[in-house]
Amino acid sequence: MGERWQLRTSRGAIEARYVVVGAGYNNVPFIPAWPGRDAFGTTVLHSQNYRNGSEYKGKRVLVVGSGNTGAEIATDLVEHGAEVWWSFRTSPTILPRASLGIATQSFGIMLRPLPVKIVDHVVAGFGLVTVGNLSKFGVPRPTRGAYTGALRDHVLPILDVGLVTAIKSGQVRPVAAIASFDKSSVLLADDQRLQPDVVIACTGFRPALEPILGHLGVLDDQGVPLAHGPKDHAHAPGMFFLGYTNAISGNLREIALHARQLARLIATERKRTTVGATSN
Ligand SMILES: Cc1cc2nc3c(=O)[nH]c(=O)nc-3n(C[C@H](O)[C@H](O)[C@H](O)COP(=O)(O)OP(=O)(O)OC[C@H]3O[C@@H](n4cnc5c(N)ncnc54)[C@H](O)[C@@H]3O)c2cc1C
């Protein structure tokens, strides 16, 4: 960690031995480049702009995305009297938010140190016992393990706040992934055509670090930093990233742990280099 970083900021240049990047995993809303979307005459809203379901009473709404945001918005819409289709590409792992009074995230904290494949099996079994098999309601059993999904694809299991009941009662209708749009309808991957009054894209966010750091070789092909917490990347010694993992044990908890570890590491390193400099 000998060199110093030169940063160009909106308030002038800064020189620093250490840089901690915490600009947010959910920095910029992302909507896939669906063919024909520009010609589609109906609103496509990103979840970022959704407030609550009150304005959608009696409307036909297509919710897109099998993450927690899509699940919670679909449920909220049903509670406000909307007619909901739920479109997704990858069948999600769905777990109860809590069982026997214990928050599911607590299990995540306990399971986290175990090998990924074992956690995938344990979580799949837990989902089957608690939520059940939703295949006959149009949600196939997930083929991707929950922990694998978190580590590889940055996707967390859905923690159910009412979606499962809404699916079982037919108030949320699962449908295939979006293939394209034309002027008045949405064409799905199974050739079904829908004519919703609004599409709500719960398709996530991107860290959008490429313009700032893309030239350093520290991002993966999804633009997510390759190094996390108190470990820096060999290409960028002294540069650290906080908040860019999707932890099954909870992101806020993970960020707090990593932040403390990182602060200690930098303090120790500074002490070491200061002592080194004065004794030379
Ligand atoms: C809908 C939703 C529900 C969630 N629920 C939970 C939950 O129940 N439990 C949990 O643990 N986690 C949850 N999370 C995740 C959690 O909210 C995030 O992990 C956490 O807020 C991230 O904090 P952060 O400081 O890394 O990023 P942010 O809170 O996004 O803060 C990043 C900051 O950096 C600033 N910034 C961006 N670019 C630049 C730049 N170039 N220069 C300077 N500043 C910049 C931004 O303006 C922002 O102020 C949820 C996330 C979402 C979206």
Side-chain angles (χ1 to χ4, degrees):
M1 298 189 190
E3 308 288 319
R4 297 177 83 84
W5 288 99
Q6 310 287 331
L7 284 82
R8 279 193 304 278
T9 81
S10 52
R11 295 196 194 171
I14 298 176
E15 204 178 82
R17 182 180 293 271
Y18 306 99
V19 176
V20 181
V21 182
Y25 186 91
N26 302 310
N27 192 3
V28 174
F30 170 76
I31 300 184
W34 288 309
R37 194 191 136 197
D38 289 347
F40 187 52
T42 303
T43 305
V44 178
L45 187 79
H46 189 271
S47 59
Q48 176 182 244
N49 299 314
Y50 178 89
R51 293 297 168 260
N52 63 63
S54 54
E55 64 187 279
Y56 302 102
K57 185 174 165 43
K59 297 235 162 85
R60 291 164 306 167
V61 187
L62 174 61
V63 175
V64 189
S66 60
N68 277 286
T69 305
E72 293 198 19
I73 287 180
T75 310
D76 188 52
L77 286 163
V78 165
E79 285 166 5
H80 283 88
E83 198 182 313
V84 181
W85 291 290
W86 180 40
S87 161
F88 54 85
R89 220 171 27 179
T90 310
S91 200
T93 296
I94 307 181
L95 303 174
R97 194 169 202 127
S99 37
L100 304 172
I102 303 169
T104 297
Q105 252 176 15
S106 320
F107 294 117
I109 296 170
M110 286 189 277
L111 292 172
R112 201 171 176 272
L114 299 177
V116 176
K117 283 284 155 222
I118 291 179
V119 178
D120 282 348
H121 284 300
V122 172
V123 174
F126 181 60
L128 257 188
V129 171
T130 50
V131 169
N133 184 351
L134 299 175
S135 301
K136 67 175 176 198
F137 301 102
V139 186
R141 299 260 319 268
T143 50
R144 176 180 62 191
Y147 201 8
T148 300
L151 294 176
R152 191 190 63 196
D153 303 327
H154 315 287
V155 173
L156 291 173
I158 289 175
L159 297 180
D160 182 38
V161 292
L163 180 75
V164 173
T165 306
I167 289 172
K168 287 181 176 170
S169 66
Q171 289 170 296
V172 166
R173 281 175 286 166
V175 293
I178 291 184
S180 62
F181 290 84
D182 63 23
K183 197 167 182 312
S184 60
S185 52
V186 184
L187 182 67
L188 303 180
D190 61 359
D191 290 338
Q192 190 183 174
R193 240 172 223 286
L194 301 178
Q195 292 184 320
D197 298 312
V198 59
V199 176
I200 302 181
C202 305
T203 41
F205 297 81
R206 292 289 182 268
L209 291 172
E210 290 87 346
I212 308 170
L213 303 171
H215 59 293
L216 293 176
V218 294
L219 307 176
D220 70 13
D221 56 6
Q222 298 177 58
V224 180
L226 290 158
H228 300 296
K231 280 194 195 134
D232 50 5
H233 191 282
H235 290 171
M239 177 175 287
F240 299 93
F241 297 90
L242 281 182
Y244 292 98
T245 52
N246 258 327
I248 57 168
S249 46
N251 283 346
L252 293 172
R253 178 181 178 277
E254 186 89 352
I255 291 168
L257 285 173
H258 278 167
R260 280 194 286 270
Q261 289 168 356
L262 181 54
R264 276 196 295 271
L265 178 111
I266 292 175
T268 309
E269 188 67 24
R270 283 198 64 198
K271 213 185 266 175
R272 195 178 60 76
T273 49
T274 313
V275 170
T278 45
S279 60
N280 280 338

